[in-house]
Amino acid sequence: GFIWIGTNNGLNRYDPKKASFRHYKQQPDQPGSIASNQVKDICEDNEGFIWVGAARTLDRLDPATGMFRHFAPPARMDNDETLFVERLIFFDNDIFLSVWGDGVYRFNRTQHSFKPVTIAHKIIRSKNWVNSFYIDKKKNLLATDGVLLKYNGSQNAFNFVDIDDNQILSLSYTAVAETDGNNYVMATAGNGFYIYNSALQYTGRKILDQDT
């Protein structure tokens, strides 16, 4: 298979068998080119399409044709050049995207429609977006925005997961990944990595700090 690489100068496709690159860059006179050279995130769906998050757009690349199709999020986003589609993930047959400063959306690939996703938790923060997505072995969609969040499909909302009342105010979680058993590795902003045990509902020992 190919390796897809997002950069500030377009999208790159690397073919390990041929040790060669193909570059996709914005061509203003070609509607089928990528909408922006500033690629923030990439994901692949179950049909083999490559989805690209960039400045103000969600792009879908058909690898067979090399053509991009552009999907415009809500109008309030189109008027701000500083807003980016920062994170993408394919989940429950849709594309979830986090837009810097503008929230989280669920994109229906059939209807080509964007639906806002609620971020509901008891910690008040100034931003309204998430900085990471993750699907665990139980097919739960998790996210972080300083705290740990879990998606509830019936509510179309990310709800707060209380992993440690004693530390939640001092640790800002930036990413999560599952390891063995009920353990998750929690990355923090400037305070290293911690182990979270979902069975015990507790964040335990620090396993790596920023100086290691």
Side-chain angles (χ1 to χ4, degrees), residues 1 4 30 38 58 80 90 161 188 210:
W4 297 91
Q30 298 180 18
Q38 299 185 60
L58 175 65
D80 193 334
F90 175 66
V161 180
T188 70
Q210 67 265 32

Short mmCIF file of all heavy atoms in Angstrom, two decimals, residues 1 4 30 38 58 80 90 161 188 210:
data_model
loop_
_atom_site.label_atom_id
_atom_site.label_comp_id
_atom_site.label_asym_id
_atom_site.label_seq_id
_atom_site.Cartn_x
_atom_site.Cartn_y
_atom_site.Cartn_z
N GLY A 1 0.81 -1.20 0.00
CA GLY A 1 0.00 0.00 0.00
C GLY A 1 0.85 1.26 0.00
O GLY A 1 2.09 1.20 0.09
N TRP A 4 0.68 7.99 3.03
CA TRP A 4 0.22 9.34 2.74
C TRP A 4 0.83 10.30 3.75
O TRP A 4 0.79 10.06 4.97
CB TRP A 4 -1.30 9.41 2.77
CG TRP A 4 -1.91 8.54 1.72
CD1 TRP A 4 -2.30 7.23 1.85
CD2 TRP A 4 -2.18 8.91 0.37
NE1 TRP A 4 -2.80 6.77 0.66
CE2 TRP A 4 -2.74 7.77 -0.28
CE3 TRP A 4 -2.01 10.09 -0.37
CZ2 TRP A 4 -3.13 7.78 -1.61
CZ3 TRP A 4 -2.41 10.10 -1.70
CH2 TRP A 4 -2.96 8.97 -2.31
N GLN A 30 -7.40 24.47 -11.71
CA GLN A 30 -7.87 23.10 -11.84
C GLN A 30 -8.77 22.76 -10.65
O GLN A 30 -8.28 22.50 -9.55
CB GLN A 30 -6.69 22.13 -11.91
CG GLN A 30 -5.78 22.34 -13.11
CD GLN A 30 -4.63 21.36 -13.14
OE1 GLN A 30 -4.65 20.32 -12.48
NE2 GLN A 30 -3.59 21.69 -13.91
N GLN A 38 -1.89 23.47 2.68
CA GLN A 38 -1.66 23.29 4.11
C GLN A 38 -2.50 22.12 4.62
O GLN A 38 -3.65 22.28 4.97
CB GLN A 38 -2.00 24.57 4.86
CG GLN A 38 -1.15 25.76 4.45
CD GLN A 38 -1.42 26.97 5.31
OE1 GLN A 38 -1.24 26.94 6.53
NE2 GLN A 38 -1.86 28.05 4.69
N LEU A 58 -12.84 20.31 3.70
CA LEU A 58 -12.66 18.87 3.82
C LEU A 58 -12.60 18.35 2.39
O LEU A 58 -13.54 18.50 1.62
CB LEU A 58 -13.84 18.24 4.57
CG LEU A 58 -13.85 16.72 4.66
CD1 LEU A 58 -12.66 16.21 5.48
CD2 LEU A 58 -15.16 16.23 5.26
N ASP A 80 -13.56 32.79 7.57
CA ASP A 80 -12.39 33.00 8.43
C ASP A 80 -11.21 32.21 7.89
O ASP A 80 -11.17 30.99 7.96
CB ASP A 80 -12.71 32.56 9.86
CG ASP A 80 -11.67 33.05 10.86
OD1 ASP A 80 -10.52 33.27 10.45
OD2 ASP A 80 -12.01 33.21 12.04
N PHE A 90 -12.24 8.35 10.57
CA PHE A 90 -13.37 7.63 9.98
C PHE A 90 -13.97 6.75 11.06
O PHE A 90 -13.31 5.87 11.61
CB PHE A 90 -12.89 6.79 8.79
CG PHE A 90 -13.96 5.91 8.21
CD1 PHE A 90 -15.06 6.46 7.58
CD2 PHE A 90 -13.86 4.53 8.29
CE1 PHE A 90 -16.05 5.66 7.04
CE2 PHE A 90 -14.84 3.71 7.74
CZ PHE A 90 -15.94 4.28 7.12
N VAL A 161 -15.16 12.19 30.45
CA VAL A 161 -14.82 10.96 31.17
C VAL A 161 -13.98 11.36 32.37
O VAL A 161 -12.87 11.88 32.23
CB VAL A 161 -14.03 9.98 30.28
CG1 VAL A 161 -13.70 8.71 31.06
CG2 VAL A 161 -14.83 9.63 29.03
N THR A 188 0.16 14.32 27.94
CA THR A 188 -0.24 15.60 28.52
C THR A 188 0.57 16.73 27.91
O THR A 188 1.58 16.51 27.25
CB THR A 188 -0.01 15.61 30.04
OG1 THR A 188 1.41 15.62 30.32
CG2 THR A 188 -0.63 14.39 30.72
N GLN A 210 8.77 15.18 30.21
CA GLN A 210 9.20 15.92 29.03
C GLN A 210 10.70 15.98 28.87
O GLN A 210 11.18 16.34 27.80
CB GLN A 210 8.62 17.35 29.07
CG GLN A 210 9.18 18.21 30.18
CD GLN A 210 8.30 18.19 31.41
OE1 GLN A 210 7.66 17.18 31.68
NE2 GLN A 210 8.24 19.29 32.14
#
